[in-house]
Amino acid sequence: MKIATYNVNGINGRLPVLLRWLAMAQPDIVCLQELKAPQEKFPLEAIEEVGYHAIWHGQKSWNGIAVLSKDQDMRQISNVLAGDQDDGQSRYLEVLVHGLLICCLYLPNGNPAPGPKFDYKLQWFKRLQQHAAMLLEKKLPVLLIGDFNVIPSDLDVYKPERWLDDALFRPETRRAFEKLLDQGWTDAIRTLYPNEKIYTFWDYFRNAYGRDAGLRIDHFLLSPTIKDRLSTGGVDGHVRGWEKTSDHAPVWIELNDGP
Protein backbone atom coordinates (compact mmCIF):
# COMPACT_ATOMS: atom_id res chain seq x y z
CA MET A 1 0.00 0.00 0.00
CA LYS A 2 1.38 3.38 -1.03
CA ILE A 3 0.58 6.37 1.21
CA ALA A 4 1.59 9.93 0.38
CA THR A 5 1.49 13.43 1.81
CA TYR A 6 1.56 16.64 -0.19
CA ASN A 7 1.25 20.27 0.86
CA VAL A 8 -0.35 21.57 -2.33
CA ASN A 9 -0.16 25.27 -1.37
CA GLY A 10 -3.56 26.07 -2.88
CA ILE A 11 -5.47 23.15 -4.35
CA ASN A 12 -7.36 25.01 -7.05
CA GLY A 13 -4.40 27.00 -8.29
CA ARG A 14 -2.21 23.86 -8.32
CA LEU A 15 -4.89 21.41 -9.45
CA PRO A 16 -3.22 20.51 -12.78
CA VAL A 17 -0.03 19.67 -10.90
CA LEU A 18 -1.89 17.55 -8.34
CA LEU A 19 -3.84 15.63 -10.98
CA ARG A 20 -0.72 15.03 -13.07
CA TRP A 21 1.17 13.69 -10.05
CA LEU A 22 -1.75 11.47 -8.94
CA ALA A 23 -1.94 9.94 -12.41
CA MET A 24 1.80 9.23 -12.43
CA ALA A 25 2.39 8.15 -8.82
CA GLN A 26 -0.88 6.26 -8.19
CA PRO A 27 -0.80 6.37 -4.36
CA ASP A 28 -3.55 4.47 -2.56
CA ILE A 29 -4.01 7.14 0.12
CA VAL A 30 -2.99 10.81 0.03
CA CYS A 31 -2.97 13.44 2.77
CA LEU A 32 -3.17 17.01 1.46
CA GLN A 33 -2.44 20.20 3.35
CA GLU A 34 -2.87 23.93 2.78
CA LEU A 35 -5.90 23.65 0.52
CA LYS A 36 -6.53 27.41 0.81
CA ALA A 37 -10.14 26.82 -0.24
CA PRO A 38 -13.47 26.90 1.61
CA GLN A 39 -15.43 23.67 1.95
CA GLU A 40 -17.64 24.32 -1.08
CA LYS A 41 -14.70 25.13 -3.39
CA PHE A 42 -12.96 21.77 -3.07
CA PRO A 43 -12.52 20.31 -6.62
CA LEU A 44 -14.22 17.00 -5.86
CA GLU A 45 -15.36 16.26 -9.40
CA ALA A 46 -11.83 16.57 -10.81
CA ILE A 47 -10.44 14.40 -8.01
CA GLU A 48 -13.08 11.72 -8.63
CA GLU A 49 -12.38 11.73 -12.37
CA VAL A 50 -8.84 10.46 -11.70
CA GLY A 51 -10.11 7.68 -9.43
CA TYR A 52 -10.07 9.09 -5.91
CA HIS A 53 -12.64 9.61 -3.17
CA ALA A 54 -12.12 12.46 -0.74
CA ILE A 55 -12.88 13.71 2.75
CA TRP A 56 -11.83 17.29 3.36
CA HIS A 57 -12.10 20.17 5.79
CA GLY A 58 -11.63 23.45 3.97
CA GLN A 59 -10.97 26.97 5.11
CA LYS A 60 -11.16 30.21 3.15
CA SER A 61 -7.77 31.65 2.12
CA TRP A 62 -5.62 29.58 4.48
CA ASN A 63 -5.10 26.11 5.93
CA GLY A 64 -7.40 23.23 4.96
CA ILE A 65 -6.65 19.50 4.82
CA ALA A 66 -7.95 16.49 2.90
CA VAL A 67 -7.54 12.73 2.68
CA LEU A 68 -7.89 11.06 -0.72
CA SER A 69 -8.29 7.32 -1.21
CA LYS A 70 -8.88 4.94 -4.08
CA ASP A 71 -11.10 2.99 -1.66
CA GLN A 72 -14.50 4.60 -1.18
CA ASP A 73 -14.90 2.81 2.15
CA MET A 74 -13.47 5.76 4.08
CA ARG A 75 -14.94 7.22 7.26
CA GLN A 76 -14.22 10.51 8.98
CA ILE A 77 -13.54 10.18 12.70
CA SER A 78 -12.81 13.83 13.50
CA ASN A 79 -11.86 17.13 11.88
CA VAL A 80 -10.69 18.90 15.02
CA LEU A 81 -7.72 18.32 17.29
CA ALA A 82 -8.87 17.96 20.89
CA GLY A 83 -7.81 20.45 23.54
CA ASP A 84 -9.12 23.83 22.37
CA GLN A 85 -12.79 24.19 21.50
CA ASP A 86 -12.21 27.77 20.31
CA ASP A 87 -9.59 26.84 17.71
CA GLY A 88 -11.25 27.49 14.36
CA GLN A 89 -8.26 26.73 12.13
CA SER A 90 -8.61 23.77 9.76
CA ARG A 91 -5.45 21.79 10.50
CA TYR A 92 -6.43 18.25 11.51
CA LEU A 93 -8.43 15.45 9.91
CA GLU A 94 -8.74 11.89 11.19
CA VAL A 95 -9.98 9.22 8.79
CA LEU A 96 -10.38 5.45 8.97
CA VAL A 97 -9.49 3.69 5.71
CA HIS A 98 -7.95 0.33 4.77
CA GLY A 99 -7.94 -0.62 8.47
CA LEU A 100 -5.63 2.32 9.22
CA LEU A 101 -6.29 5.44 11.26
CA ILE A 102 -4.91 8.24 9.09
CA CYS A 103 -4.29 11.49 10.96
CA CYS A 104 -3.66 14.22 8.39
CA LEU A 105 -2.23 17.36 9.95
CA TYR A 106 -0.92 20.80 9.08
CA LEU A 107 0.97 22.04 12.09
CA PRO A 108 1.23 25.84 12.49
CA ASN A 109 4.28 27.57 11.03
CA GLY A 110 4.85 29.73 14.12
CA ASN A 111 6.80 32.61 12.62
CA PRO A 112 7.75 35.19 13.70
CA ALA A 113 9.24 33.63 16.82
CA PRO A 114 9.00 34.45 19.63
CA GLY A 115 5.49 35.84 19.50
CA PRO A 116 1.79 34.89 19.54
CA LYS A 117 2.05 32.71 16.41
CA PHE A 118 4.91 30.74 17.96
CA ASP A 119 2.95 30.36 21.20
CA TYR A 120 0.04 28.96 19.18
CA LYS A 121 2.39 26.53 17.43
CA LEU A 122 3.69 25.16 20.73
CA GLN A 123 0.19 24.95 22.20
CA TRP A 124 -1.01 23.05 19.12
CA PHE A 125 1.99 20.75 19.43
CA LYS A 126 1.13 20.04 23.06
CA ARG A 127 -2.44 19.15 22.08
CA LEU A 128 -1.06 16.84 19.38
CA GLN A 129 1.23 15.13 21.91
CA GLN A 130 -1.68 14.51 24.26
CA HIS A 131 -3.92 13.15 21.52
CA ALA A 132 -1.12 11.03 20.06
CA ALA A 133 -0.46 9.46 23.45
CA MET A 134 -4.14 8.56 23.71
CA LEU A 135 -4.06 6.94 20.26
CA LEU A 136 -1.06 4.84 21.24
CA GLU A 137 -2.88 3.56 24.31
CA LYS A 138 -5.52 2.05 22.01
CA LYS A 139 -2.80 0.02 20.19
CA LEU A 140 -4.32 0.78 16.79
CA PRO A 141 -2.46 1.00 13.46
CA VAL A 142 -2.08 4.79 13.29
CA LEU A 143 -0.15 7.19 11.06
CA LEU A 144 0.44 10.86 11.85
CA ILE A 145 1.02 12.36 8.41
CA GLY A 146 1.55 15.81 6.99
CA ASP A 147 3.36 19.11 7.09
CA PHE A 148 4.65 19.34 10.64
CA ASN A 149 6.56 22.59 10.01
CA VAL A 150 9.42 21.02 11.97
CA ILE A 151 13.04 20.61 10.89
CA PRO A 152 14.05 17.75 13.21
CA SER A 153 17.86 18.01 12.92
CA ASP A 154 20.82 19.64 11.17
CA LEU A 155 20.69 16.87 8.57
CA ASP A 156 17.23 18.05 7.55
CA VAL A 157 18.13 21.58 6.47
CA TYR A 158 20.48 23.32 4.08
CA LYS A 159 22.89 25.51 6.09
CA PRO A 160 21.30 24.98 9.53
CA GLU A 161 23.14 27.98 10.99
CA ARG A 162 20.79 30.23 8.99
CA TRP A 163 17.68 28.73 10.60
CA LEU A 164 18.55 28.91 14.29
CA ASP A 165 15.92 31.57 15.10
CA ASP A 166 13.23 30.25 12.76
CA ALA A 167 10.11 28.73 14.35
CA LEU A 168 10.63 25.55 12.32
CA PHE A 169 14.06 24.94 13.85
CA ARG A 170 14.02 26.58 17.27
CA PRO A 171 14.96 24.26 20.18
CA GLU A 172 11.40 24.36 21.56
CA THR A 173 10.03 23.07 18.25
CA ARG A 174 12.56 20.28 17.92
CA ARG A 175 12.01 19.22 21.53
CA ALA A 176 8.27 19.02 20.90
CA PHE A 177 8.88 16.74 17.91
CA GLU A 178 11.30 14.62 19.96
CA LYS A 179 8.66 14.22 22.67
CA LEU A 180 6.35 12.74 20.05
CA LEU A 181 9.02 10.27 18.96
CA ASP A 182 9.74 9.40 22.60
CA GLN A 183 6.14 8.24 22.94
CA GLY A 184 6.97 5.43 20.54
CA TRP A 185 6.30 6.88 17.08
CA THR A 186 8.66 6.04 14.21
CA ASP A 187 9.87 8.75 11.81
CA ALA A 188 9.42 6.67 8.65
CA ILE A 189 11.61 8.60 6.19
CA ARG A 190 14.51 9.05 8.59
CA THR A 191 14.28 5.36 9.53
CA LEU A 192 14.58 4.41 5.86
CA TYR A 193 17.40 6.90 5.23
CA PRO A 194 19.22 7.33 8.55
CA ASN A 195 22.21 9.30 7.22
CA GLU A 196 21.04 10.78 3.93
CA LYS A 197 20.09 14.35 3.04
CA ILE A 198 16.35 14.26 2.36
CA TYR A 199 14.41 17.45 1.60
CA THR A 200 10.66 17.92 1.06
CA PHE A 201 10.43 21.72 0.71
CA TRP A 202 12.31 24.31 -1.33
CA ASP A 203 11.46 28.01 -1.10
CA TYR A 204 10.45 29.94 -4.21
CA PHE A 205 13.18 32.51 -3.61
CA ARG A 206 16.89 32.60 -4.48
CA ASN A 207 16.67 29.55 -6.76
CA ALA A 208 16.37 27.30 -3.70
CA TYR A 209 15.23 24.28 -5.72
CA GLY A 210 17.97 24.68 -8.31
CA ARG A 211 20.58 24.92 -5.55
CA ASP A 212 18.95 22.11 -3.56
CA ALA A 213 18.70 24.45 -0.58
CA GLY A 214 15.81 22.66 1.08
CA LEU A 215 14.21 21.45 4.28
CA ARG A 216 12.60 18.22 5.49
CA ILE A 217 9.37 19.28 7.17
CA ASP A 218 6.80 16.78 5.80
CA HIS A 219 6.74 13.62 7.90
CA PHE A 220 5.18 10.21 8.50
CA LEU A 221 5.07 9.02 12.12
CA LEU A 222 4.07 5.37 12.50
CA SER A 223 2.62 3.76 15.60
CA PRO A 224 4.41 0.69 17.04
CA THR A 225 1.66 -1.57 15.70
CA ILE A 226 2.49 -0.64 12.11
CA LYS A 227 6.19 0.27 12.00
CA ASP A 228 7.29 -3.25 11.00
CA ARG A 229 5.15 -2.99 7.85
CA LEU A 230 7.26 -0.11 6.50
CA SER A 231 9.06 -1.27 3.36
CA THR A 232 10.18 1.75 1.35
CA GLY A 233 9.57 5.46 0.78
CA GLY A 234 10.89 8.61 -0.80
CA VAL A 235 10.29 12.13 -2.08
CA ASP A 236 9.03 12.91 -5.59
CA GLY A 237 11.36 15.88 -5.76
CA HIS A 238 10.97 16.28 -9.52
CA VAL A 239 7.42 17.54 -8.97
CA ARG A 240 8.88 20.62 -7.28
CA GLY A 241 10.45 21.47 -10.65
CA TRP A 242 7.17 21.48 -12.56
CA GLU A 243 5.56 24.71 -13.73
CA LYS A 244 3.22 26.45 -11.26
CA THR A 245 3.97 23.85 -8.61
CA SER A 246 3.88 23.93 -4.81
CA ASP A 247 6.99 24.77 -2.81
CA HIS A 248 6.64 21.29 -1.27
CA ALA A 249 7.16 17.98 -3.05
CA PRO A 250 5.04 14.87 -2.49
CA VAL A 251 6.46 12.42 0.04
CA TRP A 252 5.44 8.76 0.17
CA ILE A 253 5.94 5.45 1.91
CA GLU A 254 4.87 1.90 1.19
CA LEU A 255 3.53 -0.54 3.75
CA ASN A 256 3.46 -4.31 3.44
CA ASP A 257 0.08 -5.97 3.87
CA GLY A 258 -1.03 -6.40 7.45
CA PRO A 259 -3.71 -8.38 9.23
Side-chain angles (χ1 to χ4, degrees):
M1 182 186 304
K2 186 175 185 179
I3 306 173
T5 183
Y6 190 15
N7 180 320
V8 291
N9 191 15
I11 191 167
N12 288 302
R14 319 281 182 196
L15 187 59
V17 171
L18 174 62
L19 298 179
R20 177 184 173 188
W21 170 72
L22 287 172
M24 292 177 62
Q26 291 293 314
D28 298 290
I29 300 170
V30 186
C31 292
L32 302 177
Q33 304 86 38
E34 210 170 348
L35 303 180
K36 293 183 178 178
Q39 191 74 4
E40 67 275 11
K41 295 295 184 180
F42 185 83
L44 179 60
E45 184 176 347
I47 296 288
E48 290 180 334
E49 285 180 356
V50 294
Y52 287 87
H53 305 275
I55 294 175
W56 69 97
H57 187 207
Q59 186 170 358
K60 185 178 180 180
S61 300
W62 305 106
N63 307 322
I65 61 273
V67 177
L68 314 183
S69 174
K70 290 183 176 181
D71 187 348
Q72 66 178 353
D73 187 13
M74 181 169 51
R75 181 162 59 95
Q76 177 177 301
I77 304 301
S78 176
N79 62 14
V80 294
L81 181 63
D84 184 356
Q85 62 182 4
D86 297 323
D87 186 357
Q89 296 195 25
S90 176
R91 294 184 175 274
Y92 186 81
L93 182 60
E94 204 168 281
V95 170
L96 187 64
V97 60
H98 280 298
L100 303 171
L101 190 62
I102 302 293
C103 305
C104 176
L105 60 93
Y106 177 40
L107 208 137
N109 177 284
N111 280 306
K117 291 184 178 180
F118 189 58
D119 293 340
Y120 173 64
K121 180 189 186 90
L122 295 181
Q123 291 164 2
W124 206 97
F125 229 138
K126 185 174 182 180
R127 289 160 56 198
L128 179 62
Q129 291 165 357
Q130 293 170 345
H131 187 63
M134 181 273 292
L135 292 176
L136 289 182
E137 290 178 359
K138 297 180 180 295
K139 301 187 184 303
L140 298 171
V142 185
L143 298 90
L144 306 181
I145 306 172
D147 179 358
F148 282 68
N149 271 314
V150 176
I151 305 168
S153 71
D154 288 4
L155 184 59
D156 300 305
V157 55
Y158 174 80
K159 293 191 175 180
E161 65 275 9
R162 296 185 178 181
W163 291 82
L164 296 177
D165 294 325
D166 193 280
L168 280 64
F169 198 50
R170 285 179 66 94
E172 304 95 318
T173 301
R174 286 183 288 162
R175 281 198 298 268
F177 189 77
E178 290 168 0
K179 284 184 178 179
L180 266 181
L181 297 182
D182 288 344
Q183 290 179 353
W185 300 92
T186 294
D187 180 347
I189 295 297
R190 187 49 70 207
T191 298
L192 292 167
Y193 305 98
N195 301 306
E196 294 186 36
K197 179 185 71 175
I198 302 286
Y199 296 151
T200 67
F201 169 94
W202 296 262
D203 208 326
Y204 290 124
F205 304 107
R206 298 179 296 278
N207 191 32
Y209 179 68
R211 296 186 295 115
D212 198 23
L215 318 170
R216 186 175 76 97
I217 57 177
D218 303 272
H219 307 299
F220 293 83
L221 301 189
L222 311 184
S223 68
T225 54
I226 202 173
K227 67 177 184 178
D228 292 338
R229 291 174 57 186
L230 178 65
S231 61
T232 187
V235 181
D236 288 346
H238 61 282
V239 177
R240 176 61 181 83
W242 291 355
E243 186 177 356
K244 296 182 179 180
T245 193
S246 172
D247 43 9
H248 294 249
V251 190
W252 56 273
I253 61 171
E254 289 189 0
L255 302 179
N256 294 321
D257 291 340

